[in-house]
Amino acid sequence: MASVDIMARSTSSAAATNITLYFSANVYSEIQASGRDKGRENGIAVFNKPWKNVVGTLYHEINEFRTDADVNDAIQNNSNDFLGWTSRSGREVSDQPIFAETNLNQVFKEVKASTSSKRVPVQFMYSNAVHGAEGPISSPHA
């Protein structure tokens, strides 16, 4: 994730406002099919179709930029409240389940979409209850 401070101006007002824009740049995820990098993984490539790998990567990044640290705000406000979610070892929220599992197929899976019978690729998040990646469950842990 990256951020940039920009000045925004509304079309209905002459007043300018400073805002911070957060964004992420994502890679095309696949197993290289040919050339000198044949068989090499680029990005997160765990699904059988390239578009699913791209969605898995985007899902991973969305979870990170929703929870990533805003170090500038933490410094300016002298408060760790702006530092987002990280593990005790400093891993971001979407990286922790990847490092906790030995197989990426335990972290990235296809689940049934809530509004149709189609299956969509997602990344499971880290669960303190199971000390690893966990997907949709039927009821909360006790």
Side-chain angles (χ1 to χ4, degrees), residues 5-110:
D5 292 323
I6 62 172
M7 184 158 305
R9 192 174 307 253
S10 168
T11 55
S12 62
S13 170
T17 304
N18 286 324
I19 63 170
T20 301
L21 174 68
Y22 297 97
F23 63 94
S24 70
N26 301 286
V27 299
Y28 185 80
S29 302
E30 66 178 350
I31 301 293
Q32 300 291 325
S34 62
R36 65 180 166 86
D37 291 331
K38 183 176 182 178
R40 184 171 174 210
E41 182 177 5
N42 179 45
I44 299 169
V46 295
F47 297 105
N48 62 352
K49 295 193 175 15
W51 74 266
K52 291 180 181 181
N53 291 319
V54 171
V55 171
T57 300
L58 290 170
Y59 199 91
H60 173 90
E61 289 300 322
I62 287 169
N63 281 307
E64 286 191 346
F65 73 67
R66 284 178 33 212
T67 60
D68 266 359
D70 191 328
V71 178
N72 288 335
D73 284 346
I75 292 168
Q76 290 172 355
N77 293 288
N78 196 29
S79 171
N80 288 341
D81 291 345
F82 293 93
L83 291 181
W85 189 100
T86 57
S87 70
R88 285 191 171 89
S89 60
R91 293 192 176 112
E92 297 169 308
V93 67
S94 287
D95 292 336
Q96 183 61 23
I98 292 171
F99 286 101
E101 297 295 336
T102 57
N103 183 340
L104 285 181
N105 291 313
Q106 298 299 315
V107 179
F108 294 90
K109 293 190 178 221
E110 291 183 62

Side-chain angles (χ1 to χ4, degrees), residues 114-127:
S114 62
T115 57
S116 75
S117 61
K118 293 182 180 181
R119 298 183 66 75
V120 294
V122 299
Q123 177 186 346
F124 291 169
M125 300 310 324
Y126 185 83
S127 166

